[in-house]
Amino acid sequence: PAVHRLAMAKLAVESRFGADRRVTVSDAQVAGRAGYATVDLLSYFKKELPSAELLVVIGAELVPELPSWREPETLKKLAHLLIVRRPGAAEPTSPAGWKVTTLLQPYSGEVEVSSTELRRRVAAGESLQGLVPDAVSEYCSQKGLYRRG
């Protein structure tokens, strides 16, 4: 459920950024103030924070899917695209018309893991140590998230 994803995002940001308020997690979607689609969220934040530079962070493998996203032309006007290249993947091609930055090395100690793999590990009772912040792993355990049965 979205409430758990929100809680885990807050724990992850707090674990990584502490009291640095330049990086925050919003509850706008869960609280019903913004729609689910990326364009809805960006439109909401543009109204709330008109001078903010909005970024959409995506994995390089999603770049070819951008034209199928809801209102891609509006997205291009609202946000800067930050493409994260997966370890071992080829450098992505920048999509036409977007303001783009590509992170070739997003962080030191790169870990190649997807959300699908994380859920599989939890369901199988495997450790998430080193893959997510400890607080997120503990939250999953406490709430019984992604367990089979």
Side-chain angles (χ1 to χ4, degrees):
V3 68
H4 291 304
R5 291 190 301 275
L6 174 63
M8 290 186 289
K10 286 181 177 182
L11 288 168
V13 167
E14 184 178 301
S15 295
R16 173 62 178 93
F17 297 99
D20 185 343
R21 295 295 170 220
R22 292 176 295 171
V23 178
T24 61
V25 175
S26 171
D27 69 350
Q29 186 181 59
V30 174
R33 294 189 308 272
Y36 181 74
T38 302
V39 71
D40 296 332
L41 288 167
L42 290 173
S43 296
Y44 168 81
F45 286 121
K46 198 55 153 177
K47 287 177 191 164
E48 292 293 311
L49 307 163
S51 63
E53 179 182 9
L54 302 178
L55 302 173
V56 174
V57 182
I58 66 168
E61 72 280 2
L62 292 178
V63 171
E65 296 177 21
L66 284 171
S68 70
W69 287 21
R70 193 166 132 218
E71 299 182 45
E73 294 304 315
T74 302
L75 287 172
K76 289 178 189 179
K77 295 173 188 168
L78 290 172
H80 185 105
L81 193 61
L82 183 60
I83 302 171
V84 180
R85 189 173 119 195
R86 300 279 187 188
E91 187 169 341
T93 302
S94 294
W98 287 82
K99 296 174 276 182
V100 177
T101 299
T102 301
L103 287 179
L104 301 179
Q105 295 180 337
Y107 50 89
S108 61
E110 282 185 11
V111 176
E112 186 173 355
V113 66
S114 67
S115 58
T116 301
E117 174 62 12
L118 293 174
R119 288 189 297 273
R120 186 205 63 74
R121 285 175 152 275
V122 172
E126 297 173 14
S127 172
L128 297 180
Q129 186 173 4
L131 300 175
V132 299
D134 291 342
V136 174
S137 181
E138 290 167 16
Y139 183 89
C140 286
S141 293
Q142 290 170 355
K143 301 295 181 182
L145 299 179
Y146 309 115
R147 296 275 181 208
R148 291 186 183 131

